[in-house]
Amino acid sequence: MHDGIADAQSPAVLVATLRHEGKSARRNVAVTLSIDGAEAATRTVDLEPGQSREVAFPFTFEPAAGPGRHAHAAVEVSMASDRLPAD
């Protein structure tokens, strides 16, 4: 996350770095942001062999239950057809 912390008043920018190690280019790869297991946004990118690329997802979190309360969210970024689930 660019800002290091998110609040409910402004969008957070979540950034994932993708790297393609294959021998040929991958076109129109779907990259999905999930928050607490629910799909929140999807971007489509092209990747060249050996390329690292950042993908940014702006997202506004829901307010915590009550003033002065904090909440945590599980954030996941996944790529379509990625055979490396540990990434």
Side-chain angles (χ1 to χ4, degrees):
M1 203 166 16
H2 268 188
D3 301 331
I5 193 164
D7 63 49
Q9 285 73 37
S10 57
V13 179
L14 300 147
V15 180
T17 302
L18 310 176
R19 180 149 177 89
H20 179 40
E21 295 293 338
K23 295 180 182 178
S24 59
R26 290 187 64 193
R27 304 283 179 230
N28 299 316
V29 177
V31 182
T32 302
L33 169 70
S34 298
I35 307 291
D36 290 330
E39 185 176 312
T42 299
R43 302 276 184 271
T44 302
V45 299
D46 295 334
L47 298 169
E48 297 296 328
Q51 176 187 23
S52 289
R53 175 183 182 154
E54 287 188 347
V55 179
F57 294 94
F59 184 80
T60 302
F61 288 89
E62 294 292 322
R69 306 264 329 224
H70 301 298
H72 297 271
V75 177
E76 177 183 36
V77 175
S78 59
M79 291 174 37
S81 303
D82 184 4
R83 292 182 299 275
L84 301 172
D87 290 353

